[in-house]
Amino acid sequence: MTHQASAAAARALRDAFAAVGAGSVTLHLGELPAAVATAGHDAGGGALRRAPAVSHAFLTLRNPARRNALSPRMMAELSAHVDTLEAWARDPAGNHSGLVGVVLAGEGGSFCSGFDLGVAADSFSTPESGSKFSLLMHDTLSRLRALPFISVAAVDGYALGGGAELATACDLRVMGPEASVQFLQVQMGVVPGWQGGTRLTQLLGRSKALTLLAGSERLSALAALSLGYASRVAGEGQTAAEAATEMLDSWASKGYASAIRGVKSTVHAADEGLVSEALAAERDMFKGLWGGPDNLEAIRSHSHRRKSKA
């Protein structure tokens, strides 16, 4: 499938996914949304006040009953929001020329716990469905990464499975002091399906990526900082989204928005190379495992545990 055909197929899936599952993804331009700030944070001033010419966008995941696990509906909304960000980047009138960063965060103290396995158990456990949502997420995350805005995953609480992949697809990661990242895919009988394997290897190298992926090791915030996975750990009493915003503000205060966007585009062009081939191979491997015997057993086991707790 050509890139153009793949992109068209991904867009077509949005309509099919739009009504499936719970949760939402919102896009907000301007000040830090209250949903991802500490209770005492004043969105209108204080340490996070920016020069009027500089702005950031905030993508917020909300599915509290599932620790912000992504449902098909949320995948469709995230894809549509990336469309909007692309339009802002191309805006010939320059209405968004001061936009330099996109902060991706989860509401309610948790980042994202991967794919909503409740939906998977109900209707998304076939190889065909796995192929579809993998295609959509690959397209969405590739476009997010290609934006001229610096994307930062603000990880509070848990980034598990696909949530860890979502964080890894961003340019940078800022973690709360008690946050953790864990790739659980092998425990579900699959490989990463949302670019996580390729992006993690690109970020940390072969040995460290194998350790985290094959060993399902839990990575604490301080360990992630030491490895180079995280760029910053938030201070006590501060959310990761606040720390991410402060970091972007600090950079913006030292240079022009146009230059920061140019730097992001330069770095993106330099590190993509043959990554597209690796991403295609990763998605093919995921397609071959999702909906297979081991994966179905893992989904059934998760569904049984969830119903036992209800």
Side-chain angles (χ1 to χ4, degrees):
M1 185 181 294
T2 66
H3 173 74
Q4 290 82 2
S6 178
R11 305 299 201 285
L13 288 172
R14 292 204 309 223
D15 290 339
F17 283 11
V20 182
S24 64
V25 182
T26 60
L27 174 62
H28 172 77
L29 181 64
E31 296 295 339
L32 185 70
V36 293
T38 54
H41 169 71
D42 176 9
L48 295 181
R49 184 180 295 279
R50 290 187 292 278
V54 176
S55 62
H56 307 313
F58 298 89
L59 287 163
T60 306
L61 311 175
R62 184 179 185 278
N63 191 2
R66 298 283 185 267
R67 287 182 177 171
N68 297 324
L70 287 189
S71 65
R73 176 198 302 270
M74 294 170 70
M75 293 178 185
E77 291 180 355
L78 180 60
S79 176
H81 290 322
V82 173
D83 282 359
T84 300
L85 289 167
E86 288 176 328
W88 289 350
R90 295 190 304 266
D91 181 12
N95 294 319
H96 300 93
S97 60
L99 180 57
V100 297
V102 179
V103 178
L104 176 62
E107 189 174 310
S110 188
F111 181 70
C112 176
S113 58
F115 183 53
D116 188 339
L117 292 178
V119 175
D122 292 338
S123 56
F124 270 72
S125 58
T126 66
E128 292 77 16
S129 62
S131 176
K132 289 177 180 178
F133 70 72
S134 177
L135 173 62
L136 179 58
M137 289 301 291
H138 267 248
D139 175 75
T140 299
L141 296 179
S142 290
R143 293 189 297 119
L144 176 66
R145 194 175 176 91
L147 290 167
F149 317 128
I150 299 173
S151 58
V152 185
V155 181
D156 281 308
Y158 298 99
L160 303 175
E165 295 192 69
L166 194 59
T168 306
C170 291
D171 296 314
L172 302 169
R173 286 140 296 281
V174 172
M175 296 178 65
E178 302 302 321
S180 62
V181 175
Q182 190 172 15
F183 291 86
L184 299 173
Q185 284 79 358
V186 295
Q187 297 182 32
M188 297 302 299
V190 294
V191 299
W194 301 351
Q195 303 191 348
T198 300
R199 297 301 183 192
L200 190 67
T201 304
Q202 189 180 27
L203 179 64
L204 298 181
R206 183 188 184 100
S207 296
K208 292 175 182 176
L210 276 172
T211 299
L212 294 176
L213 293 170
S216 290
E217 288 196 7
R218 177 181 172 274
L219 197 60
S220 69
L222 290 179
L225 185 66
S226 177
L227 274 178
Y229 180 82
S231 298
R232 181 173 297 192
V233 175
E236 292 295 332
Q238 183 184 44
T239 69
E242 290 171 345
T245 306
E246 285 187 352
M247 179 181 72
L248 290 169
D249 284 345
S250 174
W251 295 351
S253 71
K254 300 171 185 176
Y256 293 94
S258 59
I260 294 173
R261 288 165 64 154
V263 165
K264 162 59 199 290
S265 296
T266 299
V267 170
H268 176 73
D271 80 352
E272 282 304 285
L274 298 177
V275 166
S276 59
E277 295 180 10
L279 291 174
E282 180 178 325
R283 194 167 72 84
D284 285 343
M285 182 64 70
F286 177 81
K287 285 160 54 180
L289 292 171
W290 184 270
D294 294 338
N295 176 239
L296 291 176
E297 180 181 347
I299 291 174
R300 284 193 295 268
S301 176
H302 179 275
S303 179
H304 177 73
R305 292 196 303 270
R306 182 165 57 89
K307 290 177 181 176
S308 298
K309 293 177 182 178

